[in-house]
Amino acid sequence: MPVYKAPVNDTLFVLNDVLGLDRYHNLPGFEDATPDMIEAIIGEAAKVAEEQLFPINLSGDQEGCKRSDDGTVSVPSGFKEAYDAYCQGGWIGLAVPSEFGGQGLPYTLHAAVGEYMSSSNMALMMYPGLTQGAIAAILVHGSDEQKATYLPKMVEGTWSGTMNLTEPHCGTDLGLLRTKAVPQADGSYKLSGQKIFISAGEHSMTDNIIHLVLARIEGAPEGTKGISLFIVPKFMVGEDGSLGERNTVTCGALEHKMGIHGNATCVMNYDDATGYLIGAENKGLSAMFVMMNEARLGVGLQGLSISEAAYQSAVVYARERIQGRSLSGAKEPDKKADPIIVHPDIRRTLMTIRAFNEAGRAFLLWTALQSDIAHRSTDEADRQTADDLLGLMTPILKGVLTDKGFDNAVMAQQVFGGHGYIEEHGMSQYVRDARIAMIYEGANGIQALDLVGRKLGMHGGRAVMALFKEIGDFCEENREDEALVLYTKSLKKGLNDLQASTMWFMQNAMAKPDNAGAGSTDYMHLFGLVVLGYMWAKMAKSANAALANGAGDAAYYNNKLLTGKFFMERLLPETALRKTRIEAGADTMMDMAAEAF
């Protein structure tokens, strides 16, 4: 059976020692986020994840969702009770402004809590996760009336939310969508069309479901310029907030999926359903991007979450499973064999996953902090810098954390040998659940193209140049610190590879765009390795400082440094391989005729 324990100490180390969250008390919402408050919230979140969500993860996967002939959808046993407990704890509104029923705390704290929840039960946490994304879009683009009508109920969890983009004939290329919206005399619209792959599209855990739907108003321009965003409630909402008749939006089918069986992934049919324009007409894509960007960070979090959960089960199995003898002599001679954790290749596997998880956690929380600064700071320069960095990091965080999260789930499964292929051990579920994170909210190949094609050149390359300078300055400032020599030297090599690859694109991709496309995924992962290496360097500096001050658990900090050393020696050097692939260009892969494949 799988196991899970929230990595509370590691989260607190990143928030307090590495990021120094207490330095941001001047930002709204941070004044209440004292170290004691953070520790209390993180500890309570761990209990919810471990005691209420995790115990029904495996059974939820086995039972799945079911659709009745009338279109209603039932969720796995225990999901409703666990969802209600989550909502009653106020977790949906942790970072939502207090005026709408939230607690107004930092988004960084929301991200930290989100890791635990998703590790414990990814399928269940997608229901409130979609709601939180819808809340973000309504907060930014909704009218005062829409905010007052929908947000309080969504924040308390009695109403949930969705995002409806994909149609049977179009996914990433939203300019092809056909769902139409016809204006009505009362200011509403009638929406008709079909959406697919709609997570949490229909269920009975909440009194109402607030669908955010992309559609094209009759007569609007073709392509993405003619797309608008609409609020389409499952049940109509009266002026007094009461629920009325059912809207003409129904679940036509449940998708039969590889994983996340506990989440209702629906085909949604809109048959002259009543909807309300949110934001400006024909500006729906920019409004939906608020939700999509939030979702992309959340999906990156899912990649990390599954990697952590799979790792923990693999460690327990490696300690308990006896098989063969250590190459350097029996470690437990009183037994017929040694536990497999003595074998170097098992340790290589576990250390690879662990080194990623710890850096990935820092990467996620560091990026979440940029979101807080961008949205809460009163300093325009700080807001701009943070917003630039957030935009640059979003495709890297989503793409790298989910690609590696899946890889790590597979590696953790491999530790179990044949038992990893048997459902009762739970490793198959982690592999299957992790796979979707590489696909939805923009497949990772699209994330890589977004990074190379859009994010690098935005504002004249302002964001990427600022980040290169930040990392370079860190290496230079700590160059004389003997305890950080391995980190600064390795990081500088990785940064040099990243800068050289960036320059290669500038010289070779403008005239031949296929060179950018051919190298984009390698570039995304090269960039991710450098950022993860930067996180390790920052963590090593904090760990060394704690050891020098005699603060905290010395064994914890020494193990942190060992794990960081492994990353620098064995994982970060992959930047050279990625650079070589990028510089190979596109000719070989593009010269073969399509019919020859």
Side-chain angles (χ1 to χ4, degrees):
M1 293 290 289
V3 299
Y4 178 69
K5 186 170 181 60
V8 170
N9 288 341
D10 212 57
T11 302
L12 293 175
F13 169 69
V14 174
L15 292 176
N16 296 326
D17 295 44
V18 181
L19 299 181
L21 227 58
D22 58 350
R23 301 200 313 263
Y24 298 91
H25 283 171
N26 60 311
L27 300 183
F30 278 72
E31 62 272 15
D32 295 326
T34 62
D36 288 344
M37 172 69 80
I38 290 172
E39 185 170 357
I41 291 172
I42 292 295
E44 187 60 31
K47 290 180 183 178
V48 172
E50 295 165 6
E51 299 173 7
Q52 297 178 312
L53 306 183
F54 181 70
I56 56 173
N57 186 44
L58 185 60
S59 61
D61 176 68
Q62 294 168 341
E63 183 179 345
C65 297
K66 296 178 177 63
R67 177 185 176 277
S68 301
D69 291 339
D70 62 0
T72 59
V73 173
S74 61
V75 298
S77 303
F79 270 40
K80 167 66 173 168
E81 293 77 9
Y83 173 83
D84 287 345
Y86 177 86
C87 295
Q88 289 162 12
W91 298 107
I92 289 180
L94 192 68
V96 177
S98 57
E99 62 188 288
F100 300 111
Q103 299 171 55
L105 289 165
Y107 177 75
T108 308
L109 196 54
H110 163 81
V113 165
E115 182 203 333
Y116 302 170
M117 305 302 183
S118 189
S119 282
S120 61
N121 199 319
M122 176 174 159
L124 175 54
M125 281 302 97
M126 288 174 65
Y127 294 96
L130 269 295
T131 303
Q132 287 159 336
I135 288 170
I138 295 172
L139 271 173
V140 174
H141 291 282
S143 65
D144 290 342
E145 181 182 358
Q146 289 170 337
K147 292 175 186 178
T149 299
Y150 299 105
L151 290 183
K153 292 289 188 181
M154 295 173 76
V155 169
E156 70 182 26
T158 52
W159 295 358
S160 57
T162 71
M163 56 191 298
N164 287 237
L165 289 76
T166 307
E167 299 183 4
H169 60 283
C170 72
T172 302
D173 191 354
L174 291 170
L176 300 175
L177 71 79
R178 297 172 185 160
T179 300
K180 69 175 181 178
V182 180
Q184 304 298 297
D186 63 356
S188 67
Y189 292 78
K190 293 293 186 182
L191 275 71
S192 298
Q194 186 178 80
K195 299 289 185 177
I196 63 170
F197 307 155
I198 307 306
S199 300
E202 173 61 32
H203 57 86
S204 57
M205 291 198 298
T206 58
D207 297 336
N208 204 1
I209 301 176
I210 310 304
H211 301 286
L212 294 194
V213 185
L214 287 180
R216 194 182 307 278
I217 297 173
E218 275 192 329
E222 292 298 314
T224 56
K225 293 181 179 179
I227 296 175
S228 298
L229 182 63
F230 299 87
I231 293 175
V232 184
K234 174 181 174 179
F235 290 100
M236 302 305 296
V237 181
E239 291 185 3
D240 61 352
S242 62
L243 298 184
E245 64 183 16
R246 170 108 190 213
N247 206 351
T248 51
V249 50
T250 57
C251 171
L254 281 179
E255 305 286 4
H256 298 282
K257 314 185 297 289
M258 175 179 174
I260 52 169
H261 293 153
N263 192 266
T265 307
C266 303
V267 175
M268 301 301 297
N269 296 322
Y270 293 82
D271 300 305
D272 281 339
T274 299
Y276 306 94
L277 183 68
I278 176 172
E281 188 174 303
N282 299 333
K283 300 294 184 182
L285 207 54
S286 61
M288 183 62 89
F289 261 115
V290 172
M291 189 171 185
M292 290 172 69
N293 285 334
E294 177 128 338
R296 284 171 178 168
L297 291 176
V299 173
L301 179 150
Q302 288 177 338
L304 168 66
S305 297
I306 294 295
S307 181
E308 175 65 31
Y311 165 78
Q312 290 191 21
S313 289
V315 168
V316 171
Y317 187 81
R319 288 172 177 162
E320 296 176 349
R321 173 69 169 179
I322 61 171
Q323 191 85 27
R325 286 296 187 190
S326 168
L327 297 175
S328 57
K331 295 297 183 285
E332 297 192 17
D334 57 321
K335 295 181 179 179
K336 293 182 178 180
D338 288 326
I340 62 174
I341 200 167
V342 306
H343 302 309
D345 195 60
I346 294 294
R347 290 194 167 226
R348 174 193 61 80
T349 299
L350 295 177
M351 287 290 283
T352 296
I353 305 173
R354 176 172 176 157
F356 166 83
N357 290 348
E358 295 185 14
R361 182 169 299 113
F363 182 16
L364 172 73
L365 297 177
W366 177 66
T367 305
L369 179 58
Q370 308 313 312
S371 178
D372 276 323
I373 296 170
H375 293 106
R376 301 176 188 233
S377 177
T378 58
D379 186 290
E380 186 175 347
D382 287 348
R383 285 202 314 272
Q384 176 185 287
T385 300
D387 192 57
D388 284 352
L389 194 55
L390 180 64
L392 179 66
M393 290 296 105
T394 297
I396 301 169
L397 186 104
K398 195 278 184 184
V400 172
L401 264 58
T402 59
D403 273 356
K404 299 305 295 182
F406 174 75
D407 289 348
N408 292 344
V410 172
M411 285 196 291
Q413 183 188 42
Q414 185 74 12
V415 171
F416 283 71
H419 293 288
Y421 204 66
I422 304 301
E423 291 293 339
E424 68 186 79
H425 287 277
M427 302 310 289
S428 169
Q429 181 186 358
Y430 290 137
V431 171
R432 290 183 284 102
D433 285 356
R435 189 65 186 87
I436 186 56
M438 302 163 70
I439 299 171
Y440 59 16
E441 305 310 333
N444 286 354
I446 300 298
Q447 303 299 326
L449 286 173
D450 178 46
L451 172 64
V452 172
R454 293 181 62 247
K455 299 299 175 63
L456 288 185
M458 286 186 70
H459 308 297
R462 186 173 67 199
V464 71
M465 288 188 291
L467 181 61
F468 288 173
K469 184 179 185 302
E470 179 178 333
I471 297 174
D473 286 350
F474 179 93
C475 292
E476 183 60 28
E477 290 164 5
N478 295 280
R479 185 165 56 89
E480 303 299 328
D481 187 339
E482 292 185 7
L484 291 178
V485 167
L486 171 64
Y487 295 88
T488 55
K489 284 190 173 181
S490 299
L491 181 57
K492 191 66 170 69
K493 286 181 181 178
L495 179 61
N496 289 343
D497 287 337
L498 179 57
Q499 290 175 312
S501 297
T502 306
M503 184 61 67
W504 190 90
F505 277 142
M506 292 176 62
Q507 295 169 344
N508 294 276
M510 294 294 289
K512 191 171 183 179
D514 279 343
N515 279 329
S520 59
T521 291
D522 279 300
Y523 184 82
M524 178 181 73
H525 279 280
L526 195 168
F527 212 135
L529 281 165
V530 171
V531 174
L532 292 171
Y534 181 39
M535 295 299 106
W536 265 119
K538 290 167 73 71
M539 288 191 289
K541 184 172 183 176
S542 296
N544 279 321
L547 286 170
N549 294 332
D553 184 352
Y556 170 83
Y557 294 120
N558 282 319
N559 287 332
K560 178 72 66 177
L561 293 170
L562 268 177
T563 309
K565 184 178 180 182
F566 177 91
F567 183 91
M568 292 296 176
E569 290 177 346
R570 290 207 165 232
L571 303 184
L572 189 55
E574 188 185 316
T575 60
L577 170 63
R578 298 286 185 177
K579 174 176 173 287
T580 299
R581 288 175 176 169
I582 290 166
E583 293 176 352
D587 291 347
T588 303
M589 68 177 69
M590 300 307 295
D591 283 351
M592 185 177 287
E595 57 271 16
F597 279 85

